[in-house]
Amino acid sequence: MSEKLRVGIIWGSAKSDTETMQHAGRALRTLGLEFKRDYEEREISAHRTTQKMIEYAHQAEERGLQVIIAGAGGSAHLPGMVASETTIPVLGVAITDSPDTLNRALGSMIGMPEGRPLATFQGKAGAFNAGLYAVRILALNDPTLREAYRAYQEDQEIESTMRDEKLSEIGSEAYLLEPKQ
Amino acid sequence: MSEKLRVGIIWGSAKSDTETMQHAGRALRTLGLEFKRDYEEREISAHRTTQKMIEYAHQAEERGLQVIIAGAGGSAHLPGMVASETTIPVLGVAITDSPDTLNRALGSMIGMPEGRPLATFQGKAGAFNAGLYAVRILALNDPTLREAYRAYQEDQEIESTMRDEKLSEIGSEAYLLEPKQ
Amino acid sequence: MSEKLRVGIIWGSAKSDTETMQHAGRALRTLGLEFKRDYEEREISAHRTTQKMIEYAHQAEERGLQVIIAGAGGSAHLPGMVASETTIPVLGVAITDSPDTLNRALGSMIGMPEGRPLATFQGKAGAFNAGLYAVRILALNDPTLREAYRAYQEDQEIESTMRDEKLSEIGSEAYLLEPKQ
Amino acid sequence: MSEKLRVGIIWGSAKSDTETMQHAGRALRTLGLEFKRDYEEREISAHRTTQKMIEYAHQAEERGLQVIIAGAGGSAHLPGMVASETTIPVLGVAITDSPDTLNRALGSMIGMPEGRPLATFQGKAGAFNAGLYAVRILALNDPTLREAYRAYQEDQEIESTMRDEKLSEIGSEAYLLEPKQ
Amino acid sequence: MSEKLRVGIIWGSAKSDTETMQHAGRALRTLGLEFKRDYEEREISAHRTTQKMIEYAHQAEERGLQVIIAGAGGSAHLPGMVASETTIPVLGVAITDSPDTLNRALGSMIGMPEGRPLATFQGKAGAFNAGLYAVRILALNDPTLREAYRAYQEDQEIESTMRDEKLSEIGSEAYLLEPKQ
Amino acid sequence: MSEKLRVGIIWGSAKSDTETMQHAGRALRTLGLEFKRDYEEREISAHRTTQKMIEYAHQAEERGLQVIIAGAGGSAHLPGMVASETTIPVLGVAITDSPDTLNRALGSMIGMPEGRPLATFQGKAGAFNAGLYAVRILALNDPTLREAYRAYQEDQEIESTMRDEKLSEIGSEAYLLEPKQ
Amino acid sequence: MSEKLRVGIIWGSAKSDTETMQHAGRALRTLGLEFKRDYEEREISAHRTTQKMIEYAHQAEERGLQVIIAGAGGSAHLPGMVASETTIPVLGVAITDSPDTLNRALGSMIGMPEGRPLATFQGKAGAFNAGLYAVRILALNDPTLREAYRAYQEDQEIESTMRDEKLSEIGSEAYLLEPKQ
Amino acid sequence: MSEKLRVGIIWGSAKSDTETMQHAGRALRTLGLEFKRDYEEREISAHRTTQKMIEYAHQAEERGLQVIIAGAGGSAHLPGMVASETTIPVLGVAITDSPDTLNRALGSMIGMPEGRPLATFQGKAGAFNAGLYAVRILALNDPTLREAYRAYQEDQEIESTMRDEKLSEIGSEAYLLEPKQ
């Protein structure tokens, strides 16, 4: 694995958003990447620090970043604005707090105009998956990382098979009483 | 009425959006304001001309603008971004084209974070009303304009009363056959 | 700053709505305005005290009010009715209680007919932002207030920058363990 | 059947709303009531003719009206405002034009606060049914009208039975080619 | 006030639905009606006791009932089925439990076909309002009841005015600390 | 294949619903079943012919029907009511006409209470699939029918493969100009 | 009742999904079927164990399964994928966790393309009903099971009648204070 | 630019879906890539050709594909299933035909479980943007392509500026009468 800052994870201001976005970094670490060595975490606010946001986007390429993961809730302008001001792939994570019946953050990302592409993910599982997705992109040119990724997917299959054996043996009612693994 | 550029109407790129946003200017003209003298119309794209958008917002105050009406569809970042980069009131118009079941543009505006206020309107009637709303703001310091506005509201009442007389006389079925007034 | 009642904040009847609407006043106080001196808070119910509502709207202008912030949940008729009976700018706050999948209050405000403009905000952040928005309007003719507003926006930027330094230094996991600031 | 103005049908301003609301009167006529003798049709706008709306509601009872059918689209304040200012039953018809994904008019009616009851119907079928519902209320004290209503319901059953015979005989494909009855 | 069973309140099976539907009876009692003397409460299930439901609807008129209030959640067939099998006014209450993003019960009532009218209400406030609405219907032929109803509405206005005085005096922050009245 | 009436297809009253429900019969015929010999088509209205609906459900089993396909739009009570009054499998088809943002028919079916099962399908493709699903049930005891079903699925795979060859050869732009097959 | 594995209940991976899917087995046991003798419970993940999923579907018929009940949340691909790879009836259960305003699992099942039928159920009540529905299918060729099913439905009617007697006697307020039965 | 098949564009069966998915290829060609040389277009159906789908996913990496763009409507299982069976980045395009109020395809993609990442796009603009996004990924290791991409973004800015000059000069009303460019 190359050792250089390759992924930037950025999100708005609210501490509560951090509860969602921390899962992106967790995914990267699961695949062997490290905080500060391989990826950074930054607070970038589209509305409060607009100029900083634009500079971050403009410098991303020359800084060697290969992917930006940008999370936002509510009006959720950050991911789309960053995607518009850079040429590297941007993964947007729509942070969904308690029942937002308008799906505001999702709508704000999925409706990008023709010409400014943004890949969209949603929620905590989405933040984690955005991390995995970043690894898929990096792995296109990093055989070691690809191997790690393949192993990760196979582990998931094995774990599922083991749970299946337990469930089919004892049934759902007993299974629910089992201590969480 | 003072004669100076006081209202900026801006929107994205698609010609089709113009069909909604022209109603903002129509409202201003209905109240006696004039294109180029009292208000301007500009194409400002949050995603394609980001730097121009920010400059427009930064210069609005010193240019003497008192209100900005910003329309956008889809991801609809323009109004919120402009609202964040200026201190004058910004009216956002969520452009709703054919059935957008996520209400993307509306969600992208109504969810602005605490600290960055944006007033939201929706659709063609909303674009027209945003124009009227701008007049209400200008009229706070323009007695002539306030008079014009008051007369406009009274005219609407009179027209409604006249239609009422017709309807109550001939009934809905015959009323529907009347030529449009 | 001029010292005269300039903003009226009104809402329906339920005490629970007060939990949302108090944030409008909080925003005004953040910018230096004072309860009773610069703004008032009133219970005005569109359905229970209809006549009082209409009188409030009719007298707003001659009382010198420059902005009305009107909050309502459910059917949410108050803001639109008041907007129709006055000529000064009205800011409607759609109070969203627990999961209202019809977005009733929002729909009841955002759908105002052509000719009767109402600016719409939503939720607690929206109530606060409506307060800030009122300040933007007042500041058009109050340079001292505009200065205060500018300083407020810059403070937000500074706070964001400080949080960014912390986050980028310690990472999201450690950041979540920090005591709330 | 008593012969006196017993039902008031009112709606906003747009001619297009008339296309929905005419069905309320059609229902009344189907049951033998007559325009101007038994029911009236009026344009009453909550936003443009607020004072007229309130007077209409206040006088409804002493004028002998027993039911008011009020239709509105968009923000749809009319039915709820009228219901709040009278003591006779009010039937609200949510006028739903082309895809309104927020269900604005419906939400604006169905969310009336405790203490101000409004019965809600939706769309063209709802306007017709509101007319039938008014007849059900009148029929509580009008045996002749109740007889007419009973006959109407039985006719519908007979017509359904006849269509059933045709369909079960020739099948759906042939049935679709039949001229409309 | 006449003393005879005039209102039937019916709902499905779940005890939890009772938490919503009890408010219909509470409204009746608020206006002076009494359980068992003026109104009854029955468990009628459209799906579990279909035949009983139909008999209830068929006998309603001859038993002297003037209004049926029918509540249901989920698929919510009861109100519409009862409305189809009687000729007296039926008020449907859509019981909305925790976040039902499909608005199932509401949709199941508001979409009744032309020819089978059902008045729709929603939630706990709706159940209470359905009770009030039943009183409005009864009051058309019961002057004493109408007086009681008028007094009820005026009381609400007075209470609102008293709360307004408090709020405008102490402000929202202090108001929230007041003990609930 | 046994030759006996095994499937009942029923729906409400509107001729327009027939446009959706005809696809259920089409699916049956695709698999070799015949109208009147293997399946029937009936107009059964939950609201207009309630008693007939109940009798139909009660007699279904003794008549030898093994599956009922019931379609309905709007309030859509028919499928759930029939499912409650029989013990054989009922397939409900939610008929979705032009933009019904409440998904009324779907909600009215998918929310059946515990104890009264109804399988739900939606739209024209759903009507066709309900027909196929009925065949799957019948095929459990009809080896000839199962063979026919298997062949049908394989044909679909072959057709897809042929289209794939064309598309990958000429590309999507040319493919769209091809005459429809 | 025949004694052979006739029903397969399968679902994804999350233990939390088990809380919904256990109700399918509970329904089967309510009707006299037994775990491992009449039905099995398996963890099959569409995304983690794709090959196992396909084999399960392919072998279902020759293993003698007559119905598969497949539950899934989120993207919810399992039920539709299994339905496509077998010829026996598949019942899909859309697992709805806390407020999923997109109704993701439901949409992912109800939108199956023409040619690949899947019967859809939703939530915990839906999981139970899917179990009952499986019994309805099995009962087509199992008179003993059909008798058990009929008795089950009649028991529900009796229980409802008993609750009705209590409720109509003591009223809803007292009824709510009763200990849960 | 390297000349080797690097992008696979796949979608289901309906010819109508081709109208959306052709825009992905159009984006690639806009940036200089060629059909058959740089990218392929294939019909792969998750439900009709399941085995082919899985093989396609399994072989993608060894065939040298770096990105797969997968489009689907309705239940939309294809993109998520392919993403689960490969390790290269998959871009899902939710094909949204006429008003799908459940947002079925979008929900089916955005809800992927933790561990199986899928990047989501929506509609025709989304198909085009997915093409652009694929270029962003390829460009990480293809400087020539990155140059082409940068030029493309700058062209869009220039075009916007030119339209702005026209609009601000002639105003929206005249602008709408201009022939489309």
Side-chain angles (χ1 to χ4, degrees):
Chain A
M1 253 179 264
S2 92
E3 302 203 354
K4 187 183 150 191
L5 208 56
R6 290 182 286 175
V7 182
I9 310 179
I10 63 178
W11 63 94
S13 49
K15 218 176 179 182
S16 61
D17 290 357
T18 311
E19 288 168 17
T20 292
M21 292 310 295
Q22 65 171 322
H23 296 283
R26 181 169 63 85
L28 295 180
R29 292 195 304 276
T30 300
L31 273 299
L33 277 64
E34 279 183 29
F35 177 54
K36 287 193 176 176
R37 188 193 64 182
D38 300 297
Y39 73 93
E40 64 184 358
E41 294 182 317
R42 297 288 305 276
E43 169 170 331
I44 308 277
S45 166
H47 303 114
R48 291 186 182 81
T49 62
T50 309
Q51 210 58 54
K52 183 165 75 168
M53 170 188 74
I54 290 175
E55 282 159 21
Y56 187 87
H58 285 177
Q59 299 167 354
E61 193 180 323
E62 68 191 53
R63 288 180 62 218
L65 294 182
Q66 296 190 47
V67 188
I68 295 171
I69 302 174
S75 280
H77 297 165
L78 180 70
M81 290 306 300
V82 169
S84 294
E85 294 295 298
T86 186
T87 60
I88 64 170
V90 178
L91 312 177
V93 178
I95 298 177
T96 49
D97 38 0
S98 49
D100 173 359
T101 54
L102 277 177
N103 279 297
R104 297 183 303 197
L106 178 59
S108 187
M109 295 184 192
I110 208 72
M112 288 293 287
E114 191 175 304
R116 290 299 183 266
L118 173 68
T120 305
F121 296 80
Q122 188 180 33
K124 284 179 185 172
F128 188 86
N129 280 349
L132 293 184
Y133 201 89
V135 172
R136 286 194 180 207
I137 292 175
L138 299 181
L140 289 173
N141 300 290
D142 186 337
T144 314
L145 191 54
R146 177 164 287 187
E147 268 322 298
Y149 194 89
R150 227 180 251 126
Y152 165 76
Q153 292 208 152
E154 285 164 13
D155 282 354
Q156 287 199 316
E157 186 173 349
I158 292 165
E159 286 167 20
S160 175
T161 303
M162 286 170 62
R163 286 192 303 265
D164 181 21
E165 280 168 18
K166 172 79 90 179
L167 172 65
S168 59
E169 179 55 33
I170 65 176
S172 56
E173 292 212 317
Y175 187 79
L176 279 169
L177 300 175
E178 292 277 302
K180 209 187 165 190
Q181 290 142 359
Chain B
M1 251 179 265
S2 90
E3 302 204 356
K4 186 184 151 192
L5 209 56
R6 290 182 286 174
V7 182
I9 310 179
I10 63 179
W11 64 94
S13 50
K15 219 174 179 183
S16 59
D17 290 357
T18 310
E19 289 168 16
T20 292
M21 291 310 295
Q22 64 171 321
H23 295 284
R26 180 168 63 85
L28 295 180
R29 292 194 305 275
T30 300
L31 272 300
L33 278 64
E34 278 183 30
F35 176 53
K36 286 194 177 176
R37 187 193 65 182
D38 300 297
Y39 73 93
E40 64 184 358
E41 295 183 316
R42 298 288 305 277
E43 168 170 332
I44 308 278
S45 166
H47 304 113
R48 291 186 183 83
T49 62
T50 309
Q51 210 58 55
K52 183 165 76 169
M53 170 187 75
I54 290 175
E55 282 159 21
Y56 187 87
H58 284 178
Q59 299 166 353
E61 193 180 322
E62 67 190 55
R63 287 180 64 217
L65 293 182
Q66 296 191 47
V67 188
I68 294 171
I69 302 174
S75 279
H77 296 165
L78 179 71
M81 290 305 299
V82 168
S84 295
E85 294 295 298
T86 187
T87 59
I88 64 170
V90 178
L91 312 177
V93 179
I95 299 178
T96 48
D97 37 359
S98 48
D100 173 359
T101 55
L102 277 177
N103 278 297
R104 297 184 303 199
L106 177 59
S108 187
M109 294 184 193
I110 208 71
M112 287 294 287
E114 190 176 303
R116 290 298 183 265
L118 173 67
T120 305
F121 296 79
Q122 188 180 33
K124 285 179 186 172
F128 188 86
N129 279 349
L132 293 184
Y133 200 88
V135 172
R136 287 195 179 205
I137 292 175
L138 299 182
L140 289 172
N141 300 290
D142 186 337
T144 313
L145 192 54
R146 178 164 287 186
E147 268 322 297
Y149 193 88
R150 227 179 252 127
Y152 165 76
Q153 292 208 152
E154 284 165 13
D155 282 354
Q156 287 200 315
E157 186 173 349
I158 292 166
E159 285 167 20
S160 175
T161 303
M162 286 170 62
R163 286 193 304 265
D164 182 20
E165 280 168 18
K166 172 79 93 179
L167 172 65
S168 60
E169 179 55 33
I170 65 176
S172 56
E173 293 211 316
Y175 187 79
L176 280 169
L177 300 174
E178 292 278 301
K180 210 187 166 189
Q181 292 142 356
Chain C
M1 250 179 266
S2 92
E3 301 205 355
K4 187 184 150 191
L5 209 56
R6 290 182 285 174
V7 181
I9 309 179
I10 63 178
W11 62 95
S13 50
K15 219 173 179 184
S16 60
D17 290 357
T18 311
E19 289 168 16
T20 292
M21 291 310 296
Q22 64 170 324
H23 295 284
R26 180 168 64 83
L28 295 180
R29 292 194 303 277
T30 300
L31 273 299
L33 277 65
E34 279 184 30
F35 176 53
K36 286 194 176 176
R37 187 192 66 182
D38 300 298
Y39 72 94
E40 65 184 357
E41 295 184 315
R42 297 287 306 276
E43 169 169 332
I44 308 278
S45 166
H47 303 113
R48 291 186 183 82
T49 61
T50 309
Q51 211 58 55
K52 184 165 74 169
M53 169 187 75
I54 290 174
E55 281 159 21
Y56 188 86
H58 284 178
Q59 299 166 353
E61 193 181 322
E62 68 190 54
R63 288 180 62 218
L65 294 182
Q66 297 190 48
V67 188
I68 295 171
I69 302 175
S75 280
H77 296 166
L78 180 69
M81 290 306 300
V82 168
S84 294
E85 294 296 297
T86 187
T87 60
I88 64 170
V90 178
L91 313 178
V93 178
I95 298 176
T96 48
D97 37 359
S98 48
D100 173 359
T101 55
L102 278 177
N103 278 297
R104 297 184 302 200
L106 177 59
S108 186
M109 295 184 193
I110 207 73
M112 287 294 287
E114 190 177 303
R116 291 297 184 266
L118 173 68
T120 305
F121 295 80
Q122 188 181 33
K124 284 179 184 171
F128 188 86
N129 280 349
L132 292 185
Y133 201 88
V135 173
R136 286 194 181 207
I137 292 175
L138 298 182
L140 288 173
N141 300 289
D142 186 336
T144 313
L145 192 54
R146 178 164 286 186
E147 269 321 298
Y149 193 90
R150 227 179 251 126
Y152 165 76
Q153 292 208 153
E154 285 164 11
D155 282 354
Q156 287 199 316
E157 187 173 349
I158 292 165
E159 286 167 19
S160 176
T161 303
M162 286 170 62
R163 287 192 303 265
D164 182 21
E165 281 168 18
K166 172 80 92 180
L167 172 65
S168 60
E169 178 56 33
I170 65 176
S172 56
E173 292 211 317
Y175 187 79
L176 279 169
L177 300 174
E178 291 278 302
K180 209 187 165 189
Q181 291 141 358
Chain D
M1 250 178 268
S2 91
E3 301 204 356
K4 187 183 148 192
L5 209 55
R6 290 182 286 175
V7 181
I9 310 178
I10 62 179
W11 64 94
S13 50
K15 219 175 179 182
S16 60
D17 290 358
T18 310
E19 287 168 17
T20 292
M21 292 310 295
Q22 64 170 322
H23 295 284
R26 181 168 64 84
L28 296 180
R29 291 194 304 275
T30 300
L31 273 301
L33 277 66
E34 279 183 29
F35 176 54
K36 286 195 176 174
R37 188 192 65 183
D38 300 298
Y39 72 94
E40 64 184 358
E41 293 183 317
R42 298 288 305 276
E43 169 170 332
I44 309 277
S45 166
H47 303 113
R48 291 186 184 82
T49 61
T50 309
Q51 211 57 53
K52 184 164 76 168
M53 169 187 76
I54 290 175
E55 282 159 22
Y56 187 87
H58 284 178
Q59 298 166 355
E61 193 180 323
E62 68 191 53
R63 288 180 63 217
L65 294 182
Q66 296 190 47
V67 187
I68 294 172
I69 302 174
S75 279
H77 296 165
L78 180 71
M81 290 306 300
V82 168
S84 294
E85 294 295 298
T86 187
T87 60
I88 64 171
V90 177
L91 312 177
V93 178
I95 299 177
T96 49
D97 38 0
S98 49
D100 173 359
T101 55
L102 278 177
N103 279 296
R104 298 183 302 198
L106 178 60
S108 186
M109 295 184 191
I110 208 71
M112 287 294 287
E114 191 176 303
R116 291 299 184 265
L118 174 68
T120 305
F121 296 79
Q122 189 181 32
K124 284 179 186 171
F128 188 87
N129 279 351
L132 292 184
Y133 201 88
V135 172
R136 286 193 180 208
I137 292 175
L138 298 182
L140 288 172
N141 300 291
D142 186 336
T144 313
L145 192 54
R146 178 165 285 187
E147 269 322 298
Y149 193 90
R150 228 180 250 126
Y152 166 76
Q153 292 208 152
E154 285 164 13
D155 282 354
Q156 287 200 315
E157 186 173 350
I158 292 166
E159 285 168 20
S160 175
T161 303
M162 286 169 62
R163 285 193 303 265
D164 181 20
E165 281 169 16
K166 173 78 90 179
L167 172 65
S168 59
E169 180 54 34
I170 66 176
S172 56
E173 292 211 317
Y175 187 79
L176 279 170
L177 300 175
E178 291 278 300
K180 209 188 166 189
Q181 290 140 1
Chain E
M1 253 179 264
S2 93
E3 301 204 356
K4 188 183 150 191
L5 209 54
R6 291 182 285 174
V7 181
I9 310 178
I10 63 179
W11 63 94
S13 48
K15 218 177 179 181
S16 61
D17 289 357
T18 311
E19 288 169 16
T20 292
M21 293 310 296
Q22 64 170 322
H23 295 285
R26 179 167 66 84
L28 296 179
R29 292 195 303 277
T30 299
L31 273 299
L33 276 67
E34 279 183 28
F35 176 53
K36 285 193 176 176
R37 188 191 66 181
D38 300 298
Y39 73 92
E40 65 184 357
E41 294 184 316
R42 298 288 306 276
E43 170 169 332
I44 308 278
S45 166
H47 304 114
R48 292 187 182 82
T49 62
T50 309
Q51 211 57 55
K52 185 166 74 169
M53 170 187 74
I54 290 174
E55 282 159 21
Y56 187 86
H58 285 178
Q59 298 166 356
E61 191 180 324
E62 69 189 53
R63 287 180 65 217
L65 293 182
Q66 296 190 48
V67 188
I68 294 171
I69 301 173
S75 280
H77 297 165
L78 180 71
M81 291 306 300
V82 169
S84 294
E85 294 296 298
T86 187
T87 60
I88 64 171
V90 177
L91 313 178
V93 179
I95 298 176
T96 48
D97 37 359
S98 49
D100 173 358
T101 54
L102 278 177
N103 279 297
R104 297 184 304 199
L106 178 60
S108 188
M109 295 184 191
I110 208 73
M112 288 293 287
E114 190 176 304
R116 292 296 185 267
L118 173 68
T120 305
F121 295 80
Q122 188 180 33
K124 284 178 184 172
F128 188 86
N129 280 349
L132 292 184
Y133 200 89
V135 173
R136 286 194 181 207
I137 292 175
L138 299 181
L140 288 173
N141 300 290
D142 186 336
T144 313
L145 192 54
R146 178 164 288 187
E147 269 322 298
Y149 193 89
R150 228 179 252 127
Y152 165 76
Q153 292 208 153
E154 286 164 10
D155 282 355
Q156 288 199 315
E157 187 174 348
I158 292 166
E159 286 167 19
S160 175
T161 303
M162 287 169 63
R163 286 192 304 266
D164 181 20
E165 281 168 16
K166 173 79 91 179
L167 172 65
S168 59
E169 179 55 33
I170 65 176
S172 56
E173 292 211 316
Y175 188 79
L176 280 169
L177 300 174
E178 292 278 301
K180 209 187 165 188
Q181 292 141 359
Chain F
M1 251 179 266
S2 92
E3 301 204 355
K4 188 184 149 192
L5 209 55
R6 290 182 287 175
V7 181
I9 309 179
I10 64 179
W11 63 94
S13 49
K15 220 176 178 181
S16 60
D17 289 357
T18 311
E19 287 169 17
T20 292
M21 292 309 297
Q22 65 171 322
H23 295 284
R26 180 168 65 85
L28 296 180
R29 292 194 305 276
T30 299
L31 273 300
L33 276 66
E34 280 182 27
F35 177 54
K36 285 195 177 176
R37 188 192 66 182
D38 300 296
Y39 73 93
E40 65 184 358
E41 294 183 317
R42 298 287 305 276
E43 170 170 331
I44 309 277
S45 166
H47 303 115
R48 291 186 183 82
T49 62
T50 309
Q51 211 57 55
K52 184 165 76 168
M53 169 188 75
I54 290 175
E55 281 159 22
Y56 188 87
H58 285 179
Q59 297 167 356
E61 191 180 324
E62 69 190 53
R63 287 179 64 217
L65 293 182
Q66 296 190 46
V67 188
I68 294 171
I69 301 173
S75 279
H77 297 164
L78 180 72
M81 291 305 300
V82 168
S84 294
E85 293 296 298
T86 186
T87 60
I88 64 171
V90 177
L91 313 177
V93 178
I95 299 177
T96 48
D97 38 0
S98 49
D100 173 359
T101 54
L102 277 178
N103 279 296
R104 297 183 304 198
L106 177 60
S108 188
M109 295 183 191
I110 208 73
M112 288 293 288
E114 190 176 304
R116 292 298 185 266
L118 173 68
T120 305
F121 295 79
Q122 188 181 32
K124 284 178 185 172
F128 188 87
N129 279 350
L132 292 185
Y133 201 89
V135 172
R136 286 193 180 207
I137 292 175
L138 299 181
L140 288 172
N141 301 290
D142 185 337
T144 314
L145 192 53
R146 177 164 288 188
E147 269 322 298
Y149 193 88
R150 227 180 252 126
Y152 165 76
Q153 293 208 153
E154 285 164 12
D155 282 354
Q156 287 200 315
E157 187 174 349
I158 292 166
E159 286 167 20
S160 175
T161 302
M162 286 170 62
R163 285 193 303 265
D164 181 21
E165 281 169 15
K166 171 80 91 180
L167 172 65
S168 59
E169 180 54 33
I170 66 176
S172 56
E173 292 211 317
Y175 187 78
L176 280 169
L177 300 174
E178 291 278 301
K180 209 186 167 189
Q181 289 141 2
Chain G
M1 252 180 266
S2 92
E3 302 203 354
K4 188 184 148 191
L5 209 56
R6 290 182 287 175
V7 181
I9 310 179
I10 64 179
W11 64 94
S13 49
K15 220 176 178 180
S16 60
D17 290 356
T18 311
E19 288 168 17
T20 292
M21 292 310 296
Q22 65 171 322
H23 295 284
R26 180 169 65 84
L28 295 180
R29 293 194 304 276
T30 300
L31 273 300
L33 277 66
E34 279 182 28
F35 177 53
K36 285 193 175 175
R37 188 193 66 182
D38 300 298
Y39 73 94
E40 64 184 358
E41 294 183 317
R42 299 287 305 277
E43 170 171 330
I44 308 277
S45 166
H47 303 115
R48 291 186 183 82
T49 62
T50 309
Q51 211 57 55
K52 184 165 75 169
M53 169 187 76
I54 291 174
E55 282 159 21
Y56 188 87
H58 285 178
Q59 298 167 355
E61 192 180 322
E62 70 191 52
R63 288 180 63 217
L65 294 182
Q66 296 189 48
V67 188
I68 294 171
I69 301 174
S75 280
H77 297 165
L78 180 70
M81 291 307 299
V82 168
S84 295
E85 293 296 298
T86 186
T87 60
I88 64 171
V90 177
L91 312 178
V93 179
I95 298 177
T96 48
D97 37 359
S98 49
D100 174 359
T101 54
L102 277 177
N103 279 295
R104 298 183 303 198
L106 178 59
S108 187
M109 295 184 191
I110 208 72
M112 288 293 287
E114 190 177 303
R116 291 299 185 265
L118 173 68
T120 306
F121 296 79
Q122 188 180 33
K124 284 179 185 171
F128 188 87
N129 279 350
L132 292 184
Y133 201 89
V135 172
R136 286 194 180 207
I137 292 175
L138 299 181
L140 288 172
N141 300 291
D142 186 336
T144 313
L145 192 54
R146 177 165 288 188
E147 268 322 298
Y149 193 88
R150 227 180 250 126
Y152 166 75
Q153 292 208 152
E154 286 165 12
D155 282 354
Q156 287 200 315
E157 186 174 351
I158 291 166
E159 286 167 20
S160 175
T161 303
M162 286 170 63
R163 286 193 303 265
D164 181 21
E165 281 169 16
K166 172 78 92 181
L167 172 65
S168 59
E169 179 54 33
I170 65 176
S172 56
E173 292 212 316
Y175 187 79
L176 279 170
L177 301 174
E178 292 278 301
K180 210 187 165 189
Q181 290 141 1
Chain H
M1 253 178 264
S2 92
E3 301 204 356
K4 187 184 150 190
L5 209 55
R6 290 183 285 175
V7 181
I9 310 178
I10 63 179
W11 63 95
S13 50
K15 220 176 178 181
S16 60
D17 290 357
T18 311
E19 288 168 16
T20 292
M21 292 310 296
Q22 64 171 322
H23 295 284
R26 180 168 64 86
L28 296 179
R29 291 195 305 276
T30 299
L31 273 300
L33 278 66
E34 279 183 29
F35 176 54
K36 285 194 177 175
R37 188 192 66 181
D38 300 297
Y39 73 93
E40 65 184 357
E41 294 184 315
R42 297 287 306 275
E43 169 170 332
I44 308 277
S45 165
H47 303 114
R48 291 186 182 83
T49 62
T50 310
Q51 211 57 54
K52 184 166 74 169
M53 170 187 75
I54 290 174
E55 282 160 20
Y56 188 87
H58 284 177
Q59 298 167 355
E61 191 180 324
E62 68 191 53
R63 288 180 64 218
L65 294 182
Q66 297 190 46
V67 188
I68 294 171
I69 301 174
S75 280
H77 297 165
L78 180 70
M81 291 305 300
V82 168
S84 294
E85 294 295 299
T86 187
T87 60
I88 64 170
V90 178
L91 313 178
V93 179
I95 298 176
T96 49
D97 37 0
S98 48
D100 173 358
T101 54
L102 278 177
N103 278 298
R104 297 184 303 199
L106 178 60
S108 187
M109 295 183 191
I110 208 73
M112 288 295 286
E114 190 176 303
R116 290 299 184 265
L118 173 68
T120 305
F121 296 80
Q122 188 181 33
K124 284 178 185 172
F128 187 87
N129 280 349
L132 292 185
Y133 201 89
V135 172
R136 286 193 181 208
I137 292 175
L138 299 182
L140 289 172
N141 301 288
D142 186 337
T144 313
L145 192 53
R146 177 164 288 186
E147 268 322 297
Y149 193 88
R150 227 180 251 127
Y152 165 77
Q153 292 208 153
E154 285 165 12
D155 282 354
Q156 287 200 315
E157 187 174 348
I158 292 166
E159 286 167 20
S160 176
T161 302
M162 286 169 62
R163 285 193 303 265
D164 181 20
E165 281 169 16
K166 172 79 93 179
L167 172 64
S168 58
E169 178 56 32
I170 65 176
S172 56
E173 292 210 317
Y175 187 79
L176 280 169
L177 300 174
E178 291 278 302
K180 208 186 167 190
Q181 291 142 357

